[in-house]
Amino acid sequence: MRKKSASAKRNGFIGLGVMILLAGATVFGSEPLFKAVDSVSGTNLYTPGTYTGSARGYGGDVTVEVAVSGKKMNSIAVKGEKETLLNMVLPGLTDTILSKQSTEVDAVSGATLSSNAIKKAVDQALIQAKGGTVETSQPYQEETKGQTDTKWKDGTYSYEAPEFDENGFKDQVNMTIKDSTITSLTWDCIAKDGTKKSKLSMDGNYKMTDNGPKWHEQAKAVIDYVMSHQSMDGLMKADGYTDTVASVSINLHGFVNGVKDCLSQATGEAPNAKSSLKNGSYSYEAPAFDENGFKDQVNMTVTDNTITKLTWDCIKEDGTKKSRLSMDGKYKMTEDGPDWHEQAKDVTDYVLGHQSINGLMNAEGYTDTVASVSINLFGFVNGVKDCLSQASGEVPENKASLKDGTYAYEAPEFDKNGFKDQVNMIIKDNTITNLTWDGVSKDGSKKSKLSMDGNYKMTDNGPKWHEQATAVVGYVMEHQSMEGLINASGYTDTVASVSINLSGFVNGVKDCLTQASK
């Protein structure tokens, strides 16, 4: 009996000790205890597996692969964007997300866009892990103005990149137009000694991989695509590559720039700074402050049809200039390399030297042309374009003379989610009086109806697709313009409730306005 009593007493003390430890865990930090309890609970948060999410960051697309068990995230692998930017964020941010088991964590200072892109991509992956559906961004649509509606003039047109790339090649594109149709198209790259990349590729002297199509074979494949479609729509993504032509893995920026330039010549458009420009001083200021608290400002002077002066800066709400901060060492991007004000001068010098922004900026907003420059150029290029538009007497798109009528647009192809964008517009007395945006699936289902019925779900909370679509339609109706609505990645920083990609909507509105202005 004594042994049994002693044993019971000992077990009682052990049980009391466990209770004290658990109570201590509750007092000094409940998270470990919560996780311990959660690990034995019967309800799974996720379907085990690895899920992929993607979002736009500062330097391009960020893709994550999130491996989950039934109750937690086990690992997060990140790829994409410019490595220098990701290196600022990783692995600290993903370690924090895994530790907290949540994306509700602070962004890394100095890399907010990259941090938010990773968090958004992880959220997308987790939505899928919970059995939900996410809105995926549409492929980057190159604007080859007038490809289907504008008549191209018969002739032979050629393009050569303004400078040799880092591999020592210049892109060359030649195009022949007959009866408003592209009848011949070539793409090659030439080295400083006159050697052609196609010849090197055919001779086995330009090798990319041990297997797979060679450079000249891939070049022919994208040429065939453009010839067949008489368009570059859907060919190139924002990072310069393609998911459309399966055999092609090479970067297409040089090719696309060349085709765009040739088509511009064929439509009678002069290069950006070669049109008839009126003497004067012109200025541009971005419509809103970016998430770092700056607005781009561009100032231009034109004399005798030539840009004689060009400046670029960014200003804060308190009037502080980014150039001043940079010169004083208070705006630091990297430990070494040119400062912001030095890079800004290099790109303004480029435009002054070439009297054009052709070939300066790639689709991600960066440049492969000016070797010293690594900063994003979207704000600068937008400013230069705006000043050139003022100097050439162009009227903003929403101020042009619009004909009364009803106009409709439907995307030429279904997107990856199986929808085609549809935009309808009514113009009366030079004003947009009615505007709708929807997406239609192959079976005729409307995205708005699916959204209202709860059958098109993007996130567990937040506005639904049809609510966000209504918000951007309302913005355009109110402002009679899309100015400031969409950022370079296809999303909006202007309408707070909207997180969906707006590329299809903007394409449709532009198309309807083009019809109305004819």
Side-chain angles (χ1 to χ4, degrees), residues 73 76 93 97 100-106 118-120 122-123 126:
M73 289 182 275
I76 302 172
L93 180 64
I97 292 172
K100 298 287 186 182
Q101 287 293 301
S102 169
T103 57
E104 295 296 321
V105 299
D106 292 336
I118 290 173
K119 293 195 290 181
K120 184 174 181 179
V122 170
D123 282 337
L126 293 180

Side-chain angles (χ1 to χ4, degrees), residues 188-202:
D188 214 323
C189 300
I190 188 169
K192 294 179 182 180
D193 63 1
T195 308
K196 297 274 189 162
K197 189 182 282 188
S198 59
K199 184 73 167 64
L200 292 171
S201 174
M202 285 186 276

Side-chain angles (χ1 to χ4, degrees), residues 318-355:
D318 63 3
T320 307
K321 298 275 185 136
K322 188 182 283 188
S323 60
R324 184 76 257 168
L325 293 171
S326 175
M327 286 186 276
D328 292 344
K330 295 176 180 176
Y331 187 86
K332 196 145 185 79
M333 301 179 296
T334 59
E335 294 298 329
D336 48 16
D339 290 328
W340 187 90
H341 67 282
E342 296 170 321
Q343 296 190 42
K345 184 178 185 302
D346 287 342
V347 293
T348 56
D349 286 347
Y350 175 93
V351 175
L352 285 167
H354 292 78
Q355 291 291 297

Side-chain angles (χ1 to χ4, degrees), residues 73-85:
M73 289 182 275
N74 294 323
S75 66
I76 302 172
V78 183
K79 58 184 178 180
E81 212 177 37
K82 287 184 177 289
E83 292 302 321
T84 53
L85 291 173

Side-chain angles (χ1 to χ4, degrees), residues 15-72:
L16 178 62
V18 170
M19 290 176 67
I20 292 170
L21 286 173
L22 289 174
T26 303
V27 172
F28 294 108
S30 60
E31 188 175 1
L33 176 60
F34 171 78
K35 288 182 178 178
V37 173
D38 183 63
S39 66
V40 296
S41 67
T43 304
N44 280 349
L45 292 172
Y46 312 115
T47 300
T50 300
Y51 300 88
T52 301
S54 186
R56 289 283 294 166
Y58 187 73
D61 287 335
V62 173
T63 300
V64 303
E65 291 183 348
V66 182
V68 300
S69 60
K71 297 181 176 62
K72 62 181 289 190

Side-chain angles (χ1 to χ4, degrees), residues 149-262:
D149 297 323
T150 302
K151 193 168 180 66
W152 297 324
K153 290 185 252 178
D154 288 358
T156 299
Y157 307 94
S158 62
Y159 163 87
E160 183 171 283
E163 293 185 5
F164 292 97
D165 62 26
E166 60 186 18
N167 295 317
F169 288 97
K170 271 188 182 182
D171 289 282
Q172 293 179 325
V173 173
N174 292 279
M175 178 186 291
T176 300
I177 302 282
K178 188 174 181 182
D179 297 331
S180 204
T181 301
I182 304 171
T183 57
S184 174
L185 181 63
T186 63
W187 174 34
D188 214 323
C189 300
I190 188 169
K192 294 179 182 180
D193 63 1
T195 308
K196 297 274 189 162
K197 189 182 282 188
S198 59
K199 184 73 167 64
L200 292 171
S201 174
M202 285 186 276
D203 293 344
N205 296 320
Y206 187 84
K207 198 166 181 66
M208 300 181 298
T209 59
D210 289 329
N211 47 41
K214 297 180 179 179
W215 186 90
H216 68 282
E217 296 170 324
Q218 296 190 41
K220 183 180 183 302
V222 293
I223 286 168
D224 289 345
Y225 177 93
V226 175
M227 292 287 288
S228 171
H229 293 77
Q230 291 290 297
S231 166
M232 295 188 294
D233 283 349
L235 173 61
M236 188 178 81
K237 301 184 299 177
D239 59 4
Y241 295 91
T242 183
D243 295 326
T244 308
V245 187
S247 61
V248 176
S249 60
I250 56 178
N251 193 286
L252 304 181
H253 276 310
F255 171 67
V256 167
N257 286 341
V259 173
K260 286 173 70 176
D261 189 272
C262 290

